[in-house]
Amino acid sequence: MPTTKINHVNLYWEILGDKGEPLVFVHGSWGDHHNWDPVVDELAKDYRVLTYDRRGHSKSERLQKQGSAEEDVSDLIALIEYLNLSQAHIIGNSGGAAIVLKTAARRPNIFKTLVIHEPPLFGLLKNIDEAQPMLKVVEQRIHAVVDLIATNEHERAAKLFVETIAFGTDAWQGLSEQVKQTFIYNAPTFLDEIRDDENLEFDTSSLSRFDKPALLTHGSESPPFFIMGLDIIANALKNAKRFVFEGAGHVPHMSHPHQYIQRLKQFCNSYQAV
C-alpha cells in the first residue's frame, strides 16, 4: 500500500473496498492503522474504508521537531482531498477523536458525518469541580509514563500507559505481540503530543459552523470524565446523537468489534445519499 507525501511528511495509508461511501478512520495515540483491523474487513463490504498512520506513528514519517495537533488536522484534510474522499464519514477514537473534532471546526465541508469515541480533551473540564480529583490522578499517571519515555524506557512506558490509563490492570499481557511492538515504537510520538500545549485543549464555540450529523460514544466501563467531556461537546453540536457501548471501555472497535460495526453501519446508513 502507498506512502504519500502530505504536508511535507510521508504518510502511510490503505483503502479497502471499492464501492459505497467513504469511511475515514483516525487512530488514537500510541497506535496506528492496525487498530482498526477488527472492523475494517466487514465494513469494506459496503464502504470504501481509509485507514492511515498519523505522522510520527509506525509506517509514517517521524520528524525530529516538536509537532502539534493542528498538523494532524492539516494532514487529515489534505489526505482526504488527495484521495478525493470528500464528503466522508470521519471516525476517530481517543486522540484521533480530538483530531476529528478539530477538523470539523476547521473544515466542516469535508464531512458527511462525524463519529467520535472519548476524545481526551481534558481542557474542557477545567471548570468542573467533580472532575478535578479524577483528572489529577490521570495527570499523575501520564507524568509517570512521560518520565519513562524521556529516559528511553519505552516498553515500561507503554505497559504503564496500557494498564493505568488506556485498558486496565494486567491488560498488557493480553495484547498481541504486534500491538505491543506498535505501542513501544510509537512511545516517542506520545511524548511529543504531551509537549504540545494545545493537544488536550478545544474551544467548542469553533463548532458553530458544523451542522452535519454527529455520533458521540463512550464505553459503559470508561471513566466518567470522558462522559463529562462528551456532554460539553454535544451541547456545541447542532445535530448530535449519543450511544453507549455496554461492557466496553476506551477502545470498543478492538474489544467489541461486532457491536461497533453494527452501530457504525446503522448510523452511517441513516445518512447515505439516495
mmCIF file of all heavy atoms in Angstrom, residues 114-133:
data_model
loop_
_atom_site.group_PDB
_atom_site.id
_atom_site.type_symbol
_atom_site.label_atom_id
_atom_site.label_comp_id
_atom_site.label_asym_id
_atom_site.label_seq_id
_atom_site.Cartn_x
_atom_site.Cartn_y
_atom_site.Cartn_z
ATOM 1 N N LEU A 114 -19.847 12.774 11.391
ATOM 2 C CA LEU A 114 -18.742 12.732 12.350
ATOM 3 C C LEU A 114 -19.056 11.686 13.407
ATOM 4 O O LEU A 114 -20.171 11.643 13.934
ATOM 5 C CB LEU A 114 -18.568 14.110 12.975
ATOM 6 C CG LEU A 114 -17.593 14.319 14.131
ATOM 7 C CD1 LEU A 114 -17.106 15.774 14.133
ATOM 8 C CD2 LEU A 114 -18.205 14.013 15.497
ATOM 9 N N VAL A 115 -18.077 10.851 13.732
ATOM 10 C CA VAL A 115 -18.239 9.841 14.787
ATOM 11 C C VAL A 115 -16.998 9.886 15.665
ATOM 12 O O VAL A 115 -15.877 9.717 15.171
ATOM 13 C CB VAL A 115 -18.412 8.423 14.203
ATOM 14 C CG1 VAL A 115 -18.613 7.409 15.328
ATOM 15 C CG2 VAL A 115 -19.572 8.368 13.210
ATOM 16 N N ILE A 116 -17.193 10.104 16.966
ATOM 17 C CA ILE A 116 -16.045 10.154 17.875
ATOM 18 C C ILE A 116 -16.309 9.330 19.126
ATOM 19 O O ILE A 116 -17.439 9.240 19.605
ATOM 20 C CB ILE A 116 -15.692 11.599 18.284
ATOM 21 C CG1 ILE A 116 -16.904 12.313 18.891
ATOM 22 C CG2 ILE A 116 -15.135 12.376 17.099
ATOM 23 C CD1 ILE A 116 -16.552 13.647 19.531
ATOM 24 N N HIS A 117 -15.236 8.726 19.656
ATOM 25 C CA HIS A 117 -15.309 7.968 20.892
ATOM 26 C C HIS A 117 -14.272 8.497 21.877
ATOM 27 O O HIS A 117 -13.072 8.413 21.635
ATOM 28 C CB HIS A 117 -15.058 6.480 20.626
ATOM 29 C CG HIS A 117 -15.258 5.615 21.839
ATOM 30 N ND1 HIS A 117 -16.491 5.132 22.205
ATOM 31 C CD2 HIS A 117 -14.389 5.151 22.776
ATOM 32 C CE1 HIS A 117 -16.377 4.400 23.296
ATOM 33 N NE2 HIS A 117 -15.097 4.406 23.679
ATOM 34 N N GLU A 118 -14.739 9.118 22.940
ATOM 35 C CA GLU A 118 -13.939 9.504 24.100
ATOM 36 C C GLU A 118 -12.676 10.311 23.784
ATOM 37 O O GLU A 118 -11.559 9.885 24.090
ATOM 38 C CB GLU A 118 -13.589 8.255 24.917
ATOM 39 C CG GLU A 118 -14.817 7.525 25.432
ATOM 40 C CD GLU A 118 -14.482 6.332 26.319
ATOM 41 O OE1 GLU A 118 -13.294 6.043 26.542
ATOM 42 O OE2 GLU A 118 -15.429 5.667 26.789
ATOM 43 N N PRO A 119 -12.828 11.493 23.194
ATOM 44 C CA PRO A 119 -11.648 12.342 22.992
ATOM 45 C C PRO A 119 -11.119 12.847 24.338
ATOM 46 O O PRO A 119 -11.895 13.319 25.172
ATOM 47 C CB PRO A 119 -12.195 13.498 22.147
ATOM 48 C CG PRO A 119 -13.663 13.544 22.473
ATOM 49 C CD PRO A 119 -14.072 12.128 22.709
ATOM 50 N N PRO A 120 -9.808 12.762 24.574
ATOM 51 C CA PRO A 120 -9.240 13.192 25.865
ATOM 52 C C PRO A 120 -8.962 14.696 25.902
ATOM 53 O O PRO A 120 -7.829 15.130 26.156
ATOM 54 C CB PRO A 120 -7.939 12.380 25.942
ATOM 55 C CG PRO A 120 -7.515 12.252 24.518
ATOM 56 C CD PRO A 120 -8.787 12.150 23.708
ATOM 57 N N LEU A 121 -9.992 15.478 25.680
ATOM 58 C CA LEU A 121 -9.852 16.936 25.668
ATOM 59 C C LEU A 121 -10.093 17.457 27.079
ATOM 60 O O LEU A 121 -11.110 18.092 27.376
ATOM 61 C CB LEU A 121 -10.832 17.535 24.658
ATOM 62 C CG LEU A 121 -10.535 17.172 23.199
ATOM 63 C CD1 LEU A 121 -11.694 17.537 22.290
ATOM 64 C CD2 LEU A 121 -9.243 17.837 22.726
ATOM 65 N N PHE A 122 -9.129 17.189 27.951
ATOM 66 C CA PHE A 122 -9.307 17.453 29.374
ATOM 67 C C PHE A 122 -9.415 18.939 29.688
ATOM 68 O O PHE A 122 -9.918 19.314 30.749
ATOM 69 C CB PHE A 122 -8.154 16.830 30.162
ATOM 70 C CG PHE A 122 -8.070 15.331 30.007
ATOM 71 C CD1 PHE A 122 -6.842 14.709 29.871
ATOM 72 C CD2 PHE A 122 -9.215 14.551 29.974
ATOM 73 C CE1 PHE A 122 -6.748 13.329 29.731
ATOM 74 C CE2 PHE A 122 -9.145 13.168 29.826
ATOM 75 C CZ PHE A 122 -7.912 12.552 29.705
ATOM 76 N N GLY A 123 -8.953 19.782 28.776
ATOM 77 C CA GLY A 123 -9.100 21.215 28.986
ATOM 78 C C GLY A 123 -10.553 21.655 29.099
ATOM 79 O O GLY A 123 -10.848 22.683 29.713
ATOM 80 N N LEU A 124 -11.468 20.878 28.536
ATOM 81 C CA LEU A 124 -12.894 21.210 28.626
ATOM 82 C C LEU A 124 -13.419 21.119 30.056
ATOM 83 O O LEU A 124 -14.459 21.691 30.376
ATOM 84 C CB LEU A 124 -13.714 20.254 27.744
ATOM 85 C CG LEU A 124 -13.490 20.330 26.229
ATOM 86 C CD1 LEU A 124 -14.302 19.238 25.539
ATOM 87 C CD2 LEU A 124 -13.883 21.698 25.699
ATOM 88 N N LEU A 125 -12.702 20.376 30.901
ATOM 89 C CA LEU A 125 -13.210 20.058 32.245
ATOM 90 C C LEU A 125 -12.594 20.921 33.337
ATOM 91 O O LEU A 125 -12.830 20.669 34.519
ATOM 92 C CB LEU A 125 -12.945 18.584 32.551
ATOM 93 C CG LEU A 125 -13.462 17.583 31.521
ATOM 94 C CD1 LEU A 125 -13.104 16.163 31.928
ATOM 95 C CD2 LEU A 125 -14.960 17.718 31.318
ATOM 96 N N LYS A 126 -11.831 21.928 32.969
ATOM 97 C CA LYS A 126 -11.083 22.679 33.977
ATOM 98 C C LYS A 126 -11.980 23.428 34.956
ATOM 99 O O LYS A 126 -11.538 23.759 36.065
ATOM 100 C CB LYS A 126 -10.114 23.642 33.302
ATOM 101 C CG LYS A 126 -10.746 24.632 32.343
ATOM 102 C CD LYS A 126 -9.663 25.374 31.578
ATOM 103 C CE LYS A 126 -10.242 26.242 30.478
ATOM 104 N NZ LYS A 126 -9.184 26.855 29.637
ATOM 105 N N ASN A 127 -13.242 23.693 34.586
ATOM 106 C CA ASN A 127 -14.162 24.407 35.481
ATOM 107 C C ASN A 127 -15.212 23.483 36.102
ATOM 108 O O ASN A 127 -16.172 23.963 36.708
ATOM 109 C CB ASN A 127 -14.855 25.545 34.729
ATOM 110 C CG ASN A 127 -13.875 26.611 34.276
ATOM 111 O OD1 ASN A 127 -12.942 26.956 34.996
ATOM 112 N ND2 ASN A 127 -14.077 27.137 33.080
ATOM 113 N N ILE A 128 -15.030 22.180 35.962
ATOM 114 C CA ILE A 128 -15.964 21.216 36.552
ATOM 115 C C ILE A 128 -15.320 20.614 37.796
ATOM 116 O O ILE A 128 -14.384 19.822 37.722
ATOM 117 C CB ILE A 128 -16.335 20.113 35.543
ATOM 118 C CG1 ILE A 128 -17.004 20.743 34.317
ATOM 119 C CG2 ILE A 128 -17.245 19.074 36.178
ATOM 120 C CD1 ILE A 128 -17.418 19.757 33.260
ATOM 121 N N ASP A 129 -15.820 21.004 38.954
ATOM 122 C CA ASP A 129 -15.189 20.637 40.222
ATOM 123 C C ASP A 129 -15.108 19.133 40.415
ATOM 124 O O ASP A 129 -14.078 18.608 40.867
ATOM 125 C CB ASP A 129 -15.950 21.271 41.394
ATOM 126 C CG ASP A 129 -15.777 22.786 41.446
ATOM 127 O OD1 ASP A 129 -14.812 23.293 40.830
ATOM 128 O OD2 ASP A 129 -16.609 23.456 42.086
ATOM 129 N N GLU A 130 -16.183 18.415 40.092
ATOM 130 C CA GLU A 130 -16.193 16.978 40.364
ATOM 131 C C GLU A 130 -15.204 16.211 39.493
ATOM 132 O O GLU A 130 -14.839 15.071 39.816
ATOM 133 C CB GLU A 130 -17.601 16.407 40.175
ATOM 134 C CG GLU A 130 -18.138 16.527 38.751
ATOM 135 C CD GLU A 130 -19.537 15.964 38.628
ATOM 136 O OE1 GLU A 130 -19.727 14.785 38.996
ATOM 137 O OE2 GLU A 130 -20.443 16.692 38.168
ATOM 138 N N ALA A 131 -14.756 16.816 38.403
ATOM 139 C CA ALA A 131 -13.795 16.138 37.530
ATOM 140 C C ALA A 131 -12.358 16.256 38.029
ATOM 141 O O ALA A 131 -11.499 15.458 37.645
ATOM 142 C CB ALA A 131 -13.886 16.708 36.114
ATOM 143 N N GLN A 132 -12.079 17.238 38.898
ATOM 144 C CA GLN A 132 -10.701 17.541 39.249
ATOM 145 C C GLN A 132 -9.958 16.404 39.957
ATOM 146 O O GLN A 132 -8.798 16.119 39.613
ATOM 147 C CB GLN A 132 -10.640 18.823 40.081
ATOM 148 C CG GLN A 132 -11.212 20.051 39.383
ATOM 149 C CD GLN A 132 -10.785 20.156 37.922
ATOM 150 O OE1 GLN A 132 -9.603 20.160 37.604
ATOM 151 N NE2 GLN A 132 -11.766 20.242 37.022
ATOM 152 N N PRO A 133 -10.566 15.720 40.933
ATOM 153 C CA PRO A 133 -9.833 14.612 41.563
ATOM 154 C C PRO A 133 -9.459 13.514 40.563
ATOM 155 O O PRO A 133 -8.348 12.970 40.615
ATOM 156 C CB PRO A 133 -10.815 14.093 42.623
ATOM 157 C CG PRO A 133 -11.702 15.247 42.921
ATOM 158 C CD PRO A 133 -11.862 15.961 41.609
#
